[in-house]
Amino acid sequence: MTEQEAIHVADVSEGIGGDATAEPGSPVELPVVDVLTGRSFITGKSGSGKSNTASVVIENLLDNGFPVMIVDTDGEYYGLKEEYEILHAGADDECDIVVSPEHAEKLANLALEQNVPIILDVSGYLEEETANELLLEVVKQLFAKEKRLKKPFLLVVEECHEYIPEGGGMDETGKMLIKVGKRGRKHGLGIVGISQRPADVKKDFITQCDWLCWHRLTWDNDTKVVGRILGSKYASAVEDLGDGEAFLMTDWDESIRRIQFHRKETFDAGATPGLDDFERPELKSVSSDLVGELQSISDEKERRESEIADLRQELEKKDKRIADLERELEEARDLSNMADQFAQALLGKAEAPYRGGSGQSTAAGREGGDGGDRDQSVLKSYDEAVAATEAGDGDATEPETSDAGGDIEVDGDADAVTRGGDADSSIEDAPNDDPPVDDVDPVTRADVAESALRFDDAVELGTREAVIEELRSRIEALPELSQGMLRHYRREGVSDPVAAHIDAGGDGDSGHAYSRHRPIRRAGLIRHAGRGHYAYAVPDLIREAYADRLDEESVREIVRAVETAFVPPAERSYPPDADPATVTGGDVADGDDRTDGEADTPDADSILDGLVENSERADGEGSEGDADGEPAASAEGDRSGPGLSETARRLAERGSIRDE
């Protein structure tokens, strides 16, 4: 191929802009090298013939075996397959192969190295980003390979204003096309831009073109572009051009000619549909080897996507498993906390056994017994009771059992009926030596079973004693001034360390205040309430120890028992926010008369005893006063704790008759 080789694409026509040196109808030829390696712009309104012009140029190049790639934005160039073996690649099923950005390098290889014409149909992609990425990667590969090959090659881009707009907003694809327009010629890579709106195309591209075709334009903005580039007479004449007629401006002969382009010879897929029947011609297919090479890339992509989908599914399963394990771990932590609470309860039970409490309230009932008797298991007593019942011969000669299933006594000098297994009753130990068999009534299986059901109450009793002793020991371990600060928090509810320190008799130095405040906080007796303030936490500690299963009356009883360790007697019956200076040794404001000047608050031992006494007497009456005239430690009104079981009450009544 020499520079004189040309393609015949049009003939000279009459009218303004005609070639004065050539007669109308004279052939118009374009040099192949300038077309393949140059920059061109074809424009005209819809229906004026711009796509026909591009197709005529492409058909002439294909007839002479020159390579070309068409970027088809409307799916109207597949008609070329009627006459030429051209690869139709895109996203539609009618394409020879569905391609993606992964196929870019292979497409460039086919076009440049194997001389395969390609229609890159981007009209079928639902995502504009995918189409732009595909075009960008293909143009990059063409530009890079042409630097090495130096082979004349033409890239035709339809609707180029979408990629290189005049108004800005140009993306990486547009920048790459501009780069091809400016630097592609010296590498052999030419470009043709096609648009129906020249006013919308970046002028840097138009002014760099070697040849331009101006078909019919009617919009003022578009005709003004013609006037600036060709002259004012062409701006008015361009509105009167016929279909397929154009002004051709070329740099190689520095001329402007009015010409009529030939009609394309292949199927016009871009023609406006009419009333005639649409009959699609038989199209040529490309070699199966070419499609096979591209299909292998598609298969590899699908395989990777499938693997990625499988990995994502596995990852989701693992994430779900991790979430399940984290939830199970949290539940295990909750169970661990609950187990710790029960362990504390059992520890309290071991230190303050079921039948003897802490050893303070029932010491009188333990005379003559040793420490091993106090720690005897209640379940063993139940087993003894069952064995005694089964060994009976029917007469009233059952051996006496201890605790829940054994002898239940009524102490005439005591404040309350004592029995085994009741959480709010005082429990007496059985004597070491069993009394004569004739002194007790027979114990039935029902009695033993019901007594066993009361065992939970005994555990509850041990837990309460353990909680009280634990909190009292924490408070008693505090320095005197820190205990005073704790009394301040009890009265105020929420306060700050400096105020508590001053109220307790200290100074206003914050260092001293926080130093004496630290032991209270570490003991957990107060909790941070925000902004440097702390709240009294003893009631909350008690509620948490029982997992919020205690009613408020029971909580208050335990709180009062704990507070005997640091709250003066005269201050206990007053609300936490009362002024301690107003508390006197006279009568208190709870309505009860006192003759000894003490407030109506039992001491710690009384509270502890009250926790193991029954709150509801079988006859609905309260306990009698003790020998010193002080009232017994029992709650007023109804208590939430359980009363005596029917079996224990019956046996207690029988014991009273025997004592009389």
Side-chain angles (χ1 to χ4, degrees):
M1 181 184 71
T2 64
E3 293 186 359
Q4 286 73 32
E5 291 179 308
I7 53 176
H8 181 201
V9 295
D11 298 316
V12 176
S13 63
E14 297 182 8
I16 299 176
D19 190 350
T21 62
E23 295 292 330
S26 300
V28 177
E29 295 182 340
L30 302 177
V32 173
V33 173
D34 290 290
V35 171
L36 288 175
T37 62
R39 292 150 291 188
S40 173
F41 180 60
I42 301 175
T43 185
K45 68 181 300 182
S46 179
S48 63
K50 63 182 183 302
S51 295
N52 177 79
T53 297
S55 296
V56 170
V57 174
I58 292 170
E59 287 175 353
N60 278 271
L61 293 175
L62 294 177
D63 287 337
N64 291 275
F66 297 116
V68 63
M69 177 180 286
I70 307 159
V71 180
D72 188 358
T73 60
D74 293 317
E76 59 185 20
Y77 282 89
Y78 70 86
L80 292 169
K81 291 174 67 65
E82 183 182 6
E83 295 291 336
Y84 306 100
E85 187 176 344
I86 185 169
L87 177 64
H88 186 197
D92 294 331
D93 293 336
E94 65 181 12
C95 298
D96 297 322
I97 183 71
V98 175
V99 294
S100 61
E102 286 79 7
H103 295 83
E105 183 176 4
K106 186 62 181 178
L107 290 172
N109 286 337
L110 291 175
L112 294 176
E113 297 180 5
Q114 299 186 37
N115 210 39
V116 177
I118 298 175
I119 300 173
L120 187 61
D121 190 348
V122 297
S123 64
Y125 292 95
L126 299 178
E127 299 293 336
E128 184 178 350
E129 292 79 5
T130 304
N132 282 351
E133 184 181 0
L134 173 61
L135 177 57
L136 173 62
E137 294 301 322
V138 169
V139 175
K140 280 183 178 180
Q141 292 293 332
L142 290 174
F143 189 84
K145 292 180 182 299
E146 278 286 60
K147 291 176 67 176
R148 175 176 57 86
L149 296 175
K150 304 290 186 181
K151 178 180 181 179
F153 183 86
L154 181 62
L155 176 66
V156 180
V157 182
E158 271 280 4
E159 306 295 343
C160 63
H161 59 271
E162 295 182 1
Y163 304 107
I164 48 176
E166 172 65 18
M170 187 165 55
D171 58 13
E172 292 299 321
T173 304
K175 293 177 182 178
M176 192 65 212
L177 292 175
I178 292 292
K179 186 176 182 179
V180 171
K182 290 181 177 181
R183 300 171 53 190
R185 182 182 180 91
K186 60 184 178 181
H187 300 312
L189 181 59
I191 184 172
V192 174
I194 305 172
S195 174
Q196 57 184 329
R197 295 299 308 275
D200 295 340
V201 180
K202 195 170 184 61
K203 300 305 178 290
D204 288 348
F205 175 79
I206 296 177
T207 56
Q208 293 292 324
C209 289
D210 305 310
W211 58 283
L212 300 95
C213 289
W214 303 87
H215 288 276
R216 183 172 62 252
L217 295 167
T218 56
W219 288 94
D220 289 342
N221 290 340
D222 297 331
T223 57
K224 287 179 182 178
V225 176
V226 177
R228 288 200 304 269
I229 296 176
L230 301 182
S232 58
K233 69 175 183 177
Y234 295 101
S236 58
V238 74
E239 298 182 19
D240 299 327
L241 293 175
D243 293 346
E245 195 175 21
F247 290 122
L248 175 64
M249 177 181 177
T250 58
D251 284 353
W252 50 80
D253 56 9
E254 297 182 353
S255 66
I256 301 175
R257 287 171 287 181
R258 183 169 181 162
I259 63 175
Q260 178 70 47
F261 277 91
H262 299 162
R263 291 289 298 174
K264 63 184 297 187
E265 296 179 359
T266 55
F267 172 64
D268 189 3
T272 303
L275 297 177
D276 297 335
D277 293 337
F278 176 79
E279 184 177 355
R280 179 171 175 166
E282 183 178 353
L283 304 178
K284 290 185 177 182
S285 60
V286 296
S287 169
S288 59
D289 293 338
L290 295 179
V291 177
E293 293 179 19
L294 292 170
Q295 187 62 46
S296 64
I297 298 176
S298 300
D299 294 341
E300 178 64 21
K301 178 186 176 185
E302 292 179 359
R303 186 187 65 80
R304 290 198 307 269
E305 290 177 348
S306 178
E307 290 178 353
I308 291 174
D310 292 340
L311 291 174
R312 285 176 178 170
Q313 187 175 9
E314 289 296 325
L315 182 60
E316 290 176 358
K317 290 181 180 178
K318 292 184 182 297
D319 289 341
K320 184 178 182 299
R321 179 58 178 161
I322 290 173
D324 292 340
L325 291 174
E326 289 177 346
R327 184 174 62 255
E328 291 175 4
L329 178 60
E330 188 64 27
E331 293 174 353
R333 286 172 179 165
D334 293 341
L335 291 176
S336 177
N337 292 335
M338 185 177 295
D340 288 342
Q341 294 177 6
F342 280 115
Q344 293 177 4
L346 294 177
L347 180 60
K349 170 97 170 55
E351 295 177 348
Y354 159 59
R355 287 164 298 154
S358 63
Q360 297 176 356
S361 61
T362 58
R366 301 180 184 273
E367 294 180 358
D370 55 17
D373 293 336
R374 289 194 300 269
D375 294 335
Q376 183 180 358
S377 171
V378 69
L379 294 179
K380 180 178 178 182
S381 300
Y382 296 156
D383 294 338
E384 292 174 356
V386 173
T389 302
E390 293 176 348
D393 55 2
D395 56 4
T397 58
E398 295 292 329
E400 182 183 6
T401 58
S402 60
D403 293 335
D407 186 19
I408 301 178
E409 301 179 356
V410 176
D411 187 355
D413 296 332
D415 293 336
V417 178
T418 58
R419 61 183 176 88
D422 195 331
D424 293 326
S425 301
S426 178
I427 305 167
E428 298 288 351
D429 279 344
N432 292 335
D433 297 329
D434 291 339
V437 192
D438 296 336
D439 291 344
V440 295
D441 291 333
V443 179
T444 65
R445 288 178 177 271
D447 297 334
V448 175
E450 184 173 348
S451 297
L453 294 177
R454 310 307 301 169
F455 177 69
D456 285 343
D457 294 334
V459 175
E460 181 77 3
L461 168 64
T463 304
R464 294 191 181 192
E465 291 177 344
V467 170
I468 293 171
E469 289 302 320
E470 170 66 20
L471 293 178
R472 283 172 58 88
S473 64
R474 293 187 193 181
I475 294 170
E476 290 170 353
L478 296 175
E480 183 178 353
L481 193 55
S482 298
Q483 290 185 12
M485 296 174 70
L486 184 59
R487 286 195 295 273
H488 171 83
Y489 282 113
R490 176 187 176 273
R491 289 192 301 269
E492 299 298 329
V494 178
S495 185
D496 63 274
V498 176
H501 190 241
I502 295 174
D503 190 17
D507 53 27
D509 184 87
S510 60
H512 295 165
Y514 278 91
S515 175
R516 295 181 175 102
H517 176 266
R518 191 174 298 111
I520 318 173
R521 178 173 54 81
R522 288 182 175 176
L525 301 171
I526 57 173
R527 292 180 178 175
H528 190 252
R531 298 185 178 180
H533 285 66
Y534 293 82
Y536 184 58
V538 171
D540 289 337
L541 289 175
I542 293 170
R543 293 187 185 96
E544 292 168 3
Y546 289 92
D548 292 327
R549 291 193 296 269
L550 280 185
D551 57 62
E552 286 304 310
E553 178 61 27
S554 298
V555 172
R556 285 193 292 270
E557 285 184 3
I558 300 178
V559 169
R560 287 196 295 270
V562 172
E563 289 178 346
T564 57
F566 72 104
V567 180
E571 190 177 336
R572 295 171 195 162
S573 62
Y574 278 72
D577 56 353
D579 185 359
T582 63
V583 179
T584 64
D587 296 341
V588 293
D590 61 355
D592 290 338
D593 295 334
R594 292 289 182 269
T595 59
D596 55 1
E598 293 184 0
D600 185 21
T601 302
D603 57 16
D605 291 341
S606 299
I607 292 296
L608 290 174
D609 291 342
L611 291 174
V612 295
E613 287 181 357
N614 183 26
S615 63
E616 294 181 359
R617 303 305 179 190
D619 54 0
E621 297 179 357
S623 61
E624 299 295 335
D626 59 17
D628 296 332
E630 291 292 327
S634 61
E636 299 178 6
D638 292 338
R639 294 282 297 277
S640 59
L644 286 171
S645 66
E646 290 298 327
T647 303
R649 185 178 297 111
R650 184 172 64 253
L651 294 178
E653 290 174 355
R654 294 175 183 174
S656 298
I657 294 174
R658 286 199 308 273
D659 291 341
E660 293 176 357

